[in-house]
Amino acid sequence: MAGSFWCLVEDDRQGNPKKVMAEVLGEAGRLASQAGGQAEAVWLTDKATEAGIKQLGEWGAKRVLLLENPAFAPYRGEVWAPVLAELCLKESPQAFFGAVTARQREAMARLAARLGAGLSADSTALALEDGTLVATRPVYAGKLLSKMTWAKMPWLATLRPNVFKPADSQQGAVAPVEKPAVTLPAAVMSLVERREDSSTGLPELAEAEIIVSGGRGLKGPENFAILESLAKAIGAAVGASRAAVDAGWRPHRFQIGQTGRTVSPKLYLGFGISGAIQHLAGMRTSKVICAINKDPEAPIFKIADYGIVGDLFEVAPLLEQEFKKLLEK
Ligand SMILES: Cc1cc2nc3c(=O)[nH]c(=O)nc-3n(C[C@H](O)[C@H](O)[C@H](O)COP(=O)(O)OP(=O)(O)OC[C@H]3O[C@@H](n4cnc5c(N)ncnc54)[C@H](O)[C@@H]3O)c2cc1C
């Protein structure tokens, strides 16, 4: 429907939309109200919950298109993309947004290819100019910002987490649910899935408001315990530079940078990270950057809002103590 700004729901596989959906729906709602349309949620899942549907309504979805089928979990691009394309062709949304998460990055790219439509991946700003959507996205490892627009609808975009203002929760708002019929593609891949609980008990990197990140300066995997302790005290996620990941000190999913995750927390604390351009590509849009490095010439200080020249092994425990004192007040 013209005027429909769709948002692909990212859920936690327990029937709850993730927090990043507040941002995607908030931005879709803002643009839709300017365009005289409405934000709507498209949820492909094996398990929706009433609470999840209620949450989408409170975050501003005016309609939830719910496709509930065991075939949708775990995520498989070759199942999701044709279904999303069929829905788009039936309903002609004006825009379709996702979040920059592993599955949505892939799903939206596959969808764009199927529709022959343009995709602004990893967008950091969206605006309507003369009735057309204009997206801003960083290129060349964040050194330049490119602006792009679309030759045809739907306008497809993925939105970088922690950049867009989350929707204000509208308590009691209810989104009607529709369950459109779609053709499920025959499975072309059989999937052997092994699931391991790899949770660290700390927030996820992509969603965290504070990230404590470590690099080669940590000198060994055992020293990440220092950062984990600090992270626990302030509710932060722990990230790493590629040097730390390549050395086998942290799994790749914690890597921040051009070939890792792109993050944009409210506060980024970098310990023993030099600030190579490829690392900056993944964190330079953080709201406040604080670097801790014993080398005053380290390039990370050029983009840091706050810098501490010192030995991280002394500074990290001191910071933890001080944060704890503040939090106890
Ligand atoms: C194609 C490509 C893609 C890449 N992608 C990524 C990516 O996604 N993410 C990424 O991070 N890198 C990436 N890199 C690698 C990048 O170029 C750097 O090599 C890497 O970021 C360096 O990691 P580092 O800062 O931890 O290590 P180093 O550059 O070795 O820096 C270590 C820092 O720790 C400081 N230090 C040492 N001891 C202490 C101490 N006790 N206290 C305080 N400070 C201390 C040092 O002064 C130094 O500044 C990529 C490279 C290429 C070519």
Side-chain angles (χ1 to χ4, degrees), residues 215-217 219 241-244 255-260 272-276 278-279 292-295 298 310-313:
R216 206 191 318 257
K219 312 234 182 310
S241 72
R242 178 159 162 183
Q255 183 180 317
I256 292 170
Q258 189 181 327
T259 43
I273 293 178
S274 58
Q278 297 89 353
H279 187 79
I292 296 90
N293 199 304
K294 66 178 186 186
D295 174 8
D311 184 342
L312 72 90
F313 296 102

Side-chain angles (χ1 to χ4, degrees), residues 37 40 74 79 150 214 225 231 280 316:
E40 300 179 347
V79 178
W150 283 257
L280 304 187

Side-chain angles (χ1 to χ4, degrees), residues 168-179:
D168 296 323
S169 192
Q170 302 156 33
Q171 295 299 317
V174 178
V177 177
E178 284 178 30
K179 299 186 176 180

Side-chain angles (χ1 to χ4, degrees), residues 27-179:
E27 185 63 10
R30 188 184 69 81
L31 293 166
S33 64
Q34 287 173 22
Q38 61 182 29
E40 300 179 347
V42 178
W43 195 0
L44 274 57
T45 177
D46 62 335
K47 180 167 50 181
T49 60
E50 284 304 319
I53 292 166
K54 182 165 168 276
Q55 180 67 85
L56 292 170
E58 291 184 346
W59 281 337
K62 301 288 184 242
R63 181 168 73 134
V64 177
L65 295 171
L66 179 62
L67 292 105
E68 200 173 7
N69 193 294
F72 292 132
Y75 166 79
R76 274 176 293 175
E78 79 275 14
V79 178
W80 280 42
V83 167
L84 292 173
E86 186 184 324
L87 264 190
C88 284
L89 292 172
K90 273 189 193 152
E91 300 238 358
S92 308
Q94 188 161 341
F96 199 172
F97 300 154
V100 178
T101 63
R103 69 181 141 172
Q104 295 212 2
R105 277 175 100 117
E106 199 216 35
M108 295 302 279
R110 282 178 178 255
L111 175 63
R114 280 184 174 263
L115 297 177
L119 168 70
S120 169
D122 197 19
S123 316
T124 52
L126 295 169
L128 283 171
E129 290 178 17
D130 299 327
T132 300
L133 190 63
V134 178
T136 304
R137 53 186 300 268
V139 291
Y140 298 119
K143 284 207 139 182
L144 289 179
L145 293 176
S146 77
K147 288 206 166 189
M148 60 163 283
T149 189
W150 283 257
K152 63 179 257 196
M153 289 181 194
W155 303 323
L156 303 179
T158 52
L159 280 57
R160 184 179 287 194
N162 284 320
V163 170
F164 294 87
K165 185 176 175 292
D168 296 323
S169 192
Q170 302 156 33
Q171 295 299 317
V174 178
V177 177
E178 284 178 30
K179 299 186 176 180

